[in-house]
Amino acid sequence: MLRERGIQVTAQRLAVFGAVSARPHATADDLVDDVRASIGSVSRQAVFDALTMLTEEGLIRRIQPARSAARYEDRVDDNHHHLVCRACGGMVDVDCAVGYRPCLEAADDNGFSIDEAEVIYWGYCGDCQPAVGTSGA
């Protein structure tokens, strides 16, 4: 995929892309650790540079929920959303609510040509619900 876009293939870029694929929704700090475990010594800046380049090229997606560190995933071929647990911070993918992209049809587009929507659902995952005293309802 890198070569198809005319991007030089390096060990760092491959390791970063592989780390994002192996652990969707990981933070940049988590990915630095994963890349170092994979290829050894690599600077934080090299990992951050690779994340930026891969994001700009559309090969990975950067998600930044409110009050949270940015996270990265390689699921970029659709317009899906995310569930985030308020207690543990866990994040999972969720498809659009009705099987098509209703979220791309704003009530008033204000003259914009909309091509992406970012929806984040907040709540408590099944593991955290008993600890916070909620049943999720």
Side-chain angles (χ1 to χ4, degrees), residues 56-72:
E56 289 172 353
E57 289 294 326
L59 295 172
I60 63 174
R61 181 176 176 192
R62 181 179 187 271
I63 310 130
Q64 187 161 8
R67 303 170 307 280
S68 177
R71 302 176 192 206
Y72 297 87

Side-chain angles (χ1 to χ4, degrees), residues 19 23 25-36 44 71:
R23 189 167 24 159
H25 310 130
T27 66
D29 288 336
D30 293 334
L31 295 168
V32 168
D33 294 340
D34 293 351
V35 170
R36 286 180 177 160
R44 290 176 55 78
R71 302 176 192 206

Side-chain angles (χ1 to χ4, degrees), residues 5-123:
R5 295 170 188 255
I7 301 167
Q8 182 180 5
V9 177
T10 66
Q12 290 92 347
R13 289 175 179 165
L14 290 175
V16 169
F17 189 70
V20 170
S21 295
R23 189 167 24 159
H25 310 130
T27 66
D29 288 336
D30 293 334
L31 295 168
V32 168
D33 294 340
D34 293 351
V35 170
R36 286 180 177 160
S38 172
I39 64 171
S41 179
V42 64
S43 72
R44 290 176 55 78
Q45 189 60 51
V47 173
F48 280 73
D49 289 348
L51 287 169
T52 299
M53 184 275 306
L54 293 168
T55 301
E56 289 172 353
E57 289 294 326
L59 295 172
I60 63 174
R61 181 176 176 192
R62 181 179 187 271
I63 310 130
Q64 187 161 8
R67 303 170 307 280
S68 177
R71 302 176 192 206
Y72 297 87
E73 68 182 356
D74 66 346
R75 185 176 168 186
V76 296
D77 60 344
D78 65 355
N79 190 56
H80 68 281
H81 307 304
H82 298 93
L83 297 163
V84 180
C85 180
R86 291 183 188 279
C88 70
M91 179 186 281
V92 296
D93 292 336
V94 62
D95 292 326
C96 282
V98 291
Y100 65 97
R101 299 178 180 190
C103 43
L104 293 180
E105 297 174 18
D108 181 356
D109 64 19
N110 291 289
F112 280 70
S113 173
I114 299 170
D115 61 9
E116 182 178 4
E118 191 170 299
V119 176
I120 297 178
Y121 299 97
W122 292 89

